[in-house]
mmCIF file of all heavy atoms in Angstrom:
data_model
loop_
_atom_site.group_PDB
_atom_site.id
_atom_site.type_symbol
_atom_site.label_atom_id
_atom_site.label_comp_id
_atom_site.label_asym_id
_atom_site.label_seq_id
_atom_site.Cartn_x
_atom_site.Cartn_y
_atom_site.Cartn_z
ATOM 1 N N ALA A 1 -14.582 1.728 -9.713
ATOM 2 C CA ALA A 1 -13.195 2.154 -9.827
ATOM 3 C C ALA A 1 -12.353 1.038 -10.440
ATOM 4 O O ALA A 1 -12.530 -0.145 -10.128
ATOM 5 C CB ALA A 1 -12.651 2.528 -8.453
ATOM 6 N N ASP A 2 -11.438 1.411 -11.302
ATOM 7 C CA ASP A 2 -10.537 0.450 -11.931
ATOM 8 C C ASP A 2 -9.607 -0.141 -10.874
ATOM 9 O O ASP A 2 -8.860 0.580 -10.221
ATOM 10 C CB ASP A 2 -9.728 1.156 -13.024
ATOM 11 C CG ASP A 2 -8.774 0.217 -13.744
ATOM 12 O OD1 ASP A 2 -8.880 -1.005 -13.536
ATOM 13 O OD2 ASP A 2 -7.926 0.719 -14.498
ATOM 14 N N ALA A 3 -9.665 -1.453 -10.718
ATOM 15 C CA ALA A 3 -8.828 -2.101 -9.699
ATOM 16 C C ALA A 3 -7.354 -2.050 -10.067
ATOM 17 O O ALA A 3 -6.482 -1.860 -9.214
ATOM 18 C CB ALA A 3 -9.281 -3.550 -9.500
ATOM 19 N N GLY A 4 -7.044 -2.218 -11.345
ATOM 20 C CA GLY A 4 -5.662 -2.144 -11.793
ATOM 21 C C GLY A 4 -4.743 -3.097 -11.041
ATOM 22 O O GLY A 4 -5.163 -4.148 -10.556
ATOM 23 N N TRP A 5 -3.483 -2.696 -10.949
ATOM 24 C CA TRP A 5 -2.482 -3.517 -10.261
ATOM 25 C C TRP A 5 -2.035 -2.878 -8.943
ATOM 26 O O TRP A 5 -1.018 -3.268 -8.373
ATOM 27 C CB TRP A 5 -1.267 -3.728 -11.167
ATOM 28 C CG TRP A 5 -1.573 -4.600 -12.339
ATOM 29 C CD1 TRP A 5 -1.967 -4.204 -13.589
ATOM 30 C CD2 TRP A 5 -1.551 -6.025 -12.361
ATOM 31 N NE1 TRP A 5 -2.188 -5.289 -14.406
ATOM 32 C CE2 TRP A 5 -1.932 -6.431 -13.671
ATOM 33 C CE3 TRP A 5 -1.246 -7.013 -11.430
ATOM 34 C CZ2 TRP A 5 -2.020 -7.765 -14.056
ATOM 35 C CZ3 TRP A 5 -1.329 -8.341 -11.809
ATOM 36 C CH2 TRP A 5 -1.722 -8.707 -13.109
ATOM 37 N N ARG A 6 -2.802 -1.894 -8.468
ATOM 38 C CA ARG A 6 -2.346 -1.165 -7.287
ATOM 39 C C ARG A 6 -2.193 -2.078 -6.076
ATOM 40 O O ARG A 6 -1.281 -1.905 -5.267
ATOM 41 C CB ARG A 6 -3.320 -0.030 -6.957
ATOM 42 C CG ARG A 6 -3.472 0.976 -8.080
ATOM 43 C CD ARG A 6 -4.220 2.222 -7.653
ATOM 44 N NE ARG A 6 -5.454 1.974 -6.927
ATOM 45 C CZ ARG A 6 -6.599 1.626 -7.477
ATOM 46 N NH1 ARG A 6 -6.679 1.446 -8.787
ATOM 47 N NH2 ARG A 6 -7.677 1.455 -6.752
ATOM 48 N N GLY A 7 -3.105 -3.065 -5.941
ATOM 49 C CA GLY A 7 -3.010 -3.965 -4.800
ATOM 50 C C GLY A 7 -1.754 -4.800 -4.811
ATOM 51 O O GLY A 7 -1.183 -5.116 -3.759
ATOM 52 N N ILE A 8 -1.283 -5.174 -6.010
ATOM 53 C CA ILE A 8 -0.038 -5.931 -6.117
ATOM 54 C C ILE A 8 1.157 -5.023 -5.853
ATOM 55 O O ILE A 8 2.093 -5.372 -5.123
ATOM 56 C CB ILE A 8 0.073 -6.574 -7.512
ATOM 57 C CG1 ILE A 8 -1.122 -7.493 -7.773
ATOM 58 C CG2 ILE A 8 1.386 -7.335 -7.649
ATOM 59 C CD1 ILE A 8 -1.250 -8.639 -6.806
ATOM 60 N N GLU A 9 1.115 -3.818 -6.423
ATOM 61 C CA GLU A 9 2.221 -2.876 -6.254
ATOM 62 C C GLU A 9 2.382 -2.451 -4.793
ATOM 63 O O GLU A 9 3.480 -2.105 -4.363
ATOM 64 C CB GLU A 9 1.984 -1.652 -7.134
ATOM 65 C CG GLU A 9 2.020 -1.973 -8.628
ATOM 66 C CD GLU A 9 1.373 -0.887 -9.475
ATOM 67 O OE1 GLU A 9 0.746 0.024 -8.885
ATOM 68 O OE2 GLU A 9 1.489 -0.958 -10.711
ATOM 69 N N ALA A 10 1.293 -2.475 -4.023
ATOM 70 C CA ALA A 10 1.350 -2.017 -2.634
ATOM 71 C C ALA A 10 1.836 -3.085 -1.665
ATOM 72 O O ALA A 10 2.134 -2.775 -0.506
ATOM 73 C CB ALA A 10 -0.038 -1.550 -2.202
ATOM 74 N N LEU A 11 1.917 -4.352 -2.105
ATOM 75 C CA LEU A 11 2.203 -5.433 -1.165
ATOM 76 C C LEU A 11 3.529 -5.251 -0.438
ATOM 77 O O LEU A 11 3.587 -5.238 0.799
ATOM 78 C CB LEU A 11 2.178 -6.782 -1.881
ATOM 79 C CG LEU A 11 0.794 -7.334 -2.222
ATOM 80 C CD1 LEU A 11 0.911 -8.662 -2.933
ATOM 81 C CD2 LEU A 11 -0.059 -7.470 -0.968
ATOM 82 N N LEU A 12 4.618 -5.150 -1.170
ATOM 83 C CA LEU A 12 5.918 -5.041 -0.505
ATOM 84 C C LEU A 12 6.032 -3.766 0.326
ATOM 85 O O LEU A 12 6.524 -3.821 1.464
ATOM 86 C CB LEU A 12 7.052 -5.142 -1.523
ATOM 87 C CG LEU A 12 7.389 -6.566 -1.988
ATOM 88 C CD1 LEU A 12 8.523 -6.544 -3.000
ATOM 89 C CD2 LEU A 12 7.756 -7.452 -0.802
ATOM 90 N N PRO A 13 5.608 -2.599 -0.179
ATOM 91 C CA PRO A 13 5.636 -1.419 0.691
ATOM 92 C C PRO A 13 4.840 -1.615 1.982
ATOM 93 O O PRO A 13 5.261 -1.172 3.054
ATOM 94 C CB PRO A 13 5.024 -0.323 -0.185
ATOM 95 C CG PRO A 13 5.319 -0.743 -1.576
ATOM 96 C CD PRO A 13 5.231 -2.244 -1.563
ATOM 97 N N GLN A 14 3.691 -2.302 1.896
ATOM 98 C CA GLN A 14 2.908 -2.541 3.108
ATOM 99 C C GLN A 14 3.639 -3.492 4.040
ATOM 100 O O GLN A 14 3.713 -3.256 5.252
ATOM 101 C CB GLN A 14 1.539 -3.121 2.736
ATOM 102 C CG GLN A 14 0.666 -3.468 3.928
ATOM 103 C CD GLN A 14 -0.748 -3.827 3.527
ATOM 104 O OE1 GLN A 14 -1.440 -3.049 2.886
ATOM 105 N NE2 GLN A 14 -1.200 -5.005 3.914
ATOM 106 N N TYR A 15 4.204 -4.562 3.511
ATOM 107 C CA TYR A 15 4.909 -5.526 4.346
ATOM 108 C C TYR A 15 6.186 -4.941 4.942
ATOM 109 O O TYR A 15 6.670 -5.415 5.973
ATOM 110 C CB TYR A 15 5.250 -6.773 3.537
ATOM 111 C CG TYR A 15 4.049 -7.561 3.042
ATOM 112 C CD1 TYR A 15 4.186 -8.481 2.010
ATOM 113 C CD2 TYR A 15 2.787 -7.388 3.592
ATOM 114 C CE1 TYR A 15 3.105 -9.209 1.545
ATOM 115 C CE2 TYR A 15 1.699 -8.111 3.132
ATOM 116 C CZ TYR A 15 1.859 -9.018 2.105
ATOM 117 O OH TYR A 15 0.780 -9.731 1.639
ATOM 118 N N HIS A 16 6.748 -3.917 4.308
ATOM 119 C CA HIS A 16 7.975 -3.295 4.809
ATOM 120 C C HIS A 16 7.700 -2.142 5.774
ATOM 121 O O HIS A 16 8.647 -1.576 6.320
ATOM 122 C CB HIS A 16 8.815 -2.785 3.640
ATOM 123 C CG HIS A 16 9.460 -3.874 2.852
ATOM 124 N ND1 HIS A 16 9.981 -3.676 1.585
ATOM 125 C CD2 HIS A 16 9.673 -5.180 3.128
ATOM 126 C CE1 HIS A 16 10.477 -4.809 1.132
ATOM 127 N NE2 HIS A 16 10.299 -5.738 2.050
ATOM 128 N N ALA A 17 6.436 -1.797 5.973
ATOM 129 C CA ALA A 17 6.103 -0.705 6.888
ATOM 130 C C ALA A 17 6.585 -1.023 8.297
ATOM 131 O O ALA A 17 6.448 -2.156 8.769
ATOM 132 C CB ALA A 17 4.594 -0.460 6.888
ATOM 133 N N THR A 18 7.153 -0.045 8.975
ATOM 134 C CA THR A 18 7.630 -0.248 10.339
ATOM 135 C C THR A 18 6.798 0.516 11.365
ATOM 136 O O THR A 18 7.080 0.461 12.561
ATOM 137 C CB THR A 18 9.101 0.174 10.469
ATOM 138 O OG1 THR A 18 9.226 1.560 10.115
ATOM 139 C CG2 THR A 18 9.987 -0.669 9.558
ATOM 140 N N SER A 19 5.788 1.247 10.917
ATOM 141 C CA SER A 19 4.904 1.991 11.817
ATOM 142 C C SER A 19 3.564 2.194 11.126
ATOM 143 O O SER A 19 3.438 2.005 9.909
ATOM 144 C CB SER A 19 5.505 3.352 12.163
ATOM 145 O OG SER A 19 5.478 4.212 11.030
ATOM 146 N N VAL A 20 2.571 2.603 11.903
ATOM 147 C CA VAL A 20 1.272 2.884 11.289
ATOM 148 C C VAL A 20 1.355 4.102 10.371
ATOM 149 O O VAL A 20 0.540 4.253 9.449
ATOM 150 C CB VAL A 20 0.170 3.091 12.354
ATOM 151 C CG1 VAL A 20 -0.034 1.835 13.183
ATOM 152 C CG2 VAL A 20 0.453 4.289 13.229
ATOM 153 N N TYR A 21 2.345 4.956 10.606
ATOM 154 C CA TYR A 21 2.529 6.101 9.712
ATOM 155 C C TYR A 21 2.985 5.625 8.339
ATOM 156 O O TYR A 21 2.522 6.130 7.307
ATOM 157 C CB TYR A 21 3.532 7.083 10.320
ATOM 158 C CG TYR A 21 3.046 7.695 11.620
ATOM 159 C CD1 TYR A 21 3.404 7.148 12.846
ATOM 160 C CD2 TYR A 21 2.206 8.811 11.608
ATOM 161 C CE1 TYR A 21 2.946 7.691 14.041
ATOM 162 C CE2 TYR A 21 1.742 9.364 12.800
ATOM 163 C CZ TYR A 21 2.111 8.796 14.006
ATOM 164 O OH TYR A 21 1.644 9.342 15.187
ATOM 165 N N ASP A 22 3.896 4.654 8.309
ATOM 166 C CA ASP A 22 4.287 4.050 7.029
ATOM 167 C C ASP A 22 3.098 3.359 6.384
ATOM 168 O O ASP A 22 2.885 3.452 5.171
ATOM 169 C CB ASP A 22 5.405 3.021 7.236
ATOM 170 C CG ASP A 22 6.702 3.638 7.706
ATOM 171 O OD1 ASP A 22 6.876 4.860 7.551
ATOM 172 O OD2 ASP A 22 7.555 2.882 8.232
ATOM 173 N N TYR A 23 2.355 2.632 7.194
ATOM 174 C CA TYR A 23 1.193 1.898 6.684
ATOM 175 C C TYR A 23 0.169 2.866 6.098
ATOM 176 O O TYR A 23 -0.385 2.621 5.020
ATOM 177 C CB TYR A 23 0.576 1.091 7.816
ATOM 178 C CG TYR A 23 -0.542 0.168 7.394
ATOM 179 C CD1 TYR A 23 -0.271 -1.102 6.917
ATOM 180 C CD2 TYR A 23 -1.872 0.565 7.476
ATOM 181 C CE1 TYR A 23 -1.300 -1.965 6.528
ATOM 182 C CE2 TYR A 23 -2.898 -0.278 7.097
ATOM 183 C CZ TYR A 23 -2.609 -1.538 6.618
ATOM 184 O OH TYR A 23 -3.616 -2.364 6.229
ATOM 185 N N LYS A 24 -0.077 3.970 6.797
ATOM 186 C CA LYS A 24 -1.007 4.988 6.299
ATOM 187 C C LYS A 24 -0.538 5.537 4.954
ATOM 188 O O LYS A 24 -1.341 5.735 4.031
ATOM 189 C CB LYS A 24 -1.142 6.118 7.312
ATOM 190 C CG LYS A 24 -2.088 7.245 6.877
ATOM 191 C CD LYS A 24 -2.140 8.359 7.911
ATOM 192 C CE LYS A 24 -3.199 9.408 7.550
ATOM 193 N NZ LYS A 24 -2.975 10.028 6.233
ATOM 194 N N ALA A 25 0.754 5.769 4.824
ATOM 195 C CA ALA A 25 1.280 6.310 3.576
ATOM 196 C C ALA A 25 1.030 5.354 2.415
ATOM 197 O O ALA A 25 0.716 5.788 1.295
ATOM 198 C CB ALA A 25 2.771 6.601 3.715
ATOM 199 N N VAL A 26 1.148 4.040 2.675
ATOM 200 C CA VAL A 26 0.884 3.047 1.628
ATOM 201 C C VAL A 26 -0.583 3.079 1.231
ATOM 202 O O VAL A 26 -0.927 3.086 0.039
ATOM 203 C CB VAL A 26 1.290 1.635 2.100
ATOM 204 C CG1 VAL A 26 0.863 0.574 1.082
ATOM 205 C CG2 VAL A 26 2.786 1.567 2.349
ATOM 206 N N GLN A 27 -1.472 3.108 2.223
ATOM 207 C CA GLN A 27 -2.905 3.141 1.925
ATOM 208 C C GLN A 27 -3.275 4.412 1.167
ATOM 209 O O GLN A 27 -4.076 4.379 0.215
ATOM 210 C CB GLN A 27 -3.717 3.037 3.222
ATOM 211 C CG GLN A 27 -3.427 1.815 4.068
ATOM 212 C CD GLN A 27 -3.602 0.517 3.310
ATOM 213 O OE1 GLN A 27 -4.583 0.326 2.610
ATOM 214 N NE2 GLN A 27 -2.636 -0.376 3.446
ATOM 215 N N ASP A 28 -2.707 5.544 1.580
ATOM 216 C CA ASP A 28 -3.007 6.814 0.921
ATOM 217 C C ASP A 28 -2.512 6.831 -0.522
ATOM 218 O O ASP A 28 -3.151 7.402 -1.410
ATOM 219 C CB ASP A 28 -2.377 7.976 1.690
ATOM 220 C CG ASP A 28 -3.072 8.256 3.015
ATOM 221 O OD1 ASP A 28 -4.124 7.638 3.277
ATOM 222 O OD2 ASP A 28 -2.559 9.092 3.779
ATOM 223 N N THR A 29 -1.359 6.207 -0.752
ATOM 224 C CA THR A 29 -0.748 6.248 -2.079
ATOM 225 C C THR A 29 -1.483 5.359 -3.066
ATOM 226 O O THR A 29 -1.734 5.751 -4.213
ATOM 227 C CB THR A 29 0.731 5.823 -2.007
ATOM 228 O OG1 THR A 29 1.433 6.740 -1.172
ATOM 229 C CG2 THR A 29 1.365 5.794 -3.392
ATOM 230 N N TYR A 30 -1.849 4.150 -2.637
ATOM 231 C CA TYR A 30 -2.384 3.158 -3.572
ATOM 232 C C TYR A 30 -3.904 3.030 -3.533
ATOM 233 O O TYR A 30 -4.515 2.626 -4.525
ATOM 234 C CB TYR A 30 -1.748 1.791 -3.300
ATOM 235 C CG TYR A 30 -0.273 1.760 -3.607
ATOM 236 C CD1 TYR A 30 0.670 1.950 -2.611
ATOM 237 C CD2 TYR A 30 0.185 1.538 -4.899
ATOM 238 C CE1 TYR A 30 2.033 1.925 -2.889
ATOM 239 C CE2 TYR A 30 1.535 1.498 -5.195
ATOM 240 C CZ TYR A 30 2.453 1.697 -4.181
ATOM 241 O OH TYR A 30 3.793 1.666 -4.461
ATOM 242 N N GLN A 31 -4.539 3.316 -2.403
ATOM 243 C CA GLN A 31 -6.007 3.229 -2.281
ATOM 244 C C GLN A 31 -6.559 1.970 -2.963
ATOM 245 O O GLN A 31 -7.438 2.035 -3.810
ATOM 246 C CB GLN A 31 -6.652 4.476 -2.877
ATOM 247 C CG GLN A 31 -6.395 5.744 -2.093
ATOM 248 C CD GLN A 31 -7.218 6.903 -2.592
ATOM 249 O OE1 GLN A 31 -6.797 7.656 -3.455
ATOM 250 N NE2 GLN A 31 -8.419 7.051 -2.041
ATOM 251 N N PHE A 32 -6.035 0.831 -2.557
ATOM 252 C CA PHE A 32 -6.408 -0.423 -3.212
ATOM 253 C C PHE A 32 -7.362 -1.266 -2.392
ATOM 254 O O PHE A 32 -7.991 -2.178 -2.917
ATOM 255 C CB PHE A 32 -5.150 -1.244 -3.522
ATOM 256 C CG PHE A 32 -4.418 -1.727 -2.288
ATOM 257 C CD1 PHE A 32 -4.595 -3.028 -1.832
ATOM 258 C CD2 PHE A 32 -3.551 -0.901 -1.600
ATOM 259 C CE1 PHE A 32 -3.927 -3.488 -0.709
ATOM 260 C CE2 PHE A 32 -2.867 -1.351 -0.472
ATOM 261 C CZ PHE A 32 -3.058 -2.642 -0.024
#
């Protein structure tokens, strides 16, 4: 799979998550 920049793009959304539901949404969106 192409790694791309998804891991970089997901950093701030992951760090700003306030619940595991937010965290899950980041993982689902970027799959990095």
Side-chain angles (χ1 to χ4, degrees):
D2 181 10
W5 291 93
R6 300 191 312 281
I8 302 299
E9 295 162 351
L11 284 180
L12 281 180
Q14 177 171 303
Y15 296 162
H16 288 164
T18 59
S19 70
V20 298
Y21 296 95
D22 294 342
Y23 186 85
K24 179 182 186 302
V26 173
Q27 303 304 314
D28 289 353
T29 298
Y30 294 96
Q31 292 189 269
F32 66 99

